[in-house]
Amino acid sequence: MGGDKTALKTALKAAAYRSTFNEEVKLKAVLEAGSLTYTSGDSRVTERFSLDSRKMRGFKAGGLGPRECLNQICGTQNNDALGEKILPLLGLKLNFL
């Protein structure tokens, strides 16, 4: 990252698949995890983890997580998503053939 910051950003993604009921039902499980740790300096919004609509259905991009609100008043002009330093995510999906 350079400059006056020292950091470690790690990410892990694992998936498992299983078929049952004579191959008519397929289960998919995906686990994602990430951590952003700074030993000097602080993180910027662009360096943090964020969820998009492909990972969290039903929400627009940047629709989850902490927000930048001035004086605890969130409006349309100052409601930007700030991202997270830690990302835990588990997704389960069933497909019926």
Side-chain angles (χ1 to χ4, degrees):
M1 296 183 193
D4 58 350
K5 298 179 181 184
T6 305
L8 176 64
K9 185 174 185 177
T10 56
L12 168 75
K13 183 175 182 177
Y17 303 89
R18 179 89 174 176
S19 296
T20 60
F21 298 107
N22 295 326
E23 303 287 325
E24 293 182 12
V25 178
K26 295 187 187 278
L27 172 66
K28 176 183 176 183
V30 178
L31 172 67
E32 288 187 58
S35 175
L36 177 62
T37 306
Y38 276 79
T39 55
S40 66
D42 200 8
S43 66
R44 298 175 66 194
V45 172
T46 56
E47 298 165 345
R48 297 178 188 162
F49 295 100
S50 62
L51 291 175
D52 58 22
S53 58
R54 292 175 297 166
K55 292 181 181 178
M56 186 62 70
R57 294 177 120 181
F59 293 90
K60 64 181 180 177
L64 289 176
R67 301 278 173 192
E68 177 182 27
C69 297
L70 303 175
N71 299 323
Q72 298 182 346
I73 299 172
C74 292
T76 57
Q77 298 294 326
N78 59 345
N79 198 14
D80 296 329
L82 297 177
E84 291 289 341
K85 292 181 180 179
I86 297 175
L87 173 71
L89 184 62
L90 173 64
L92 300 174
K93 183 178 181 180
L94 277 175
N95 286 333
F96 298 95
L97 303 176

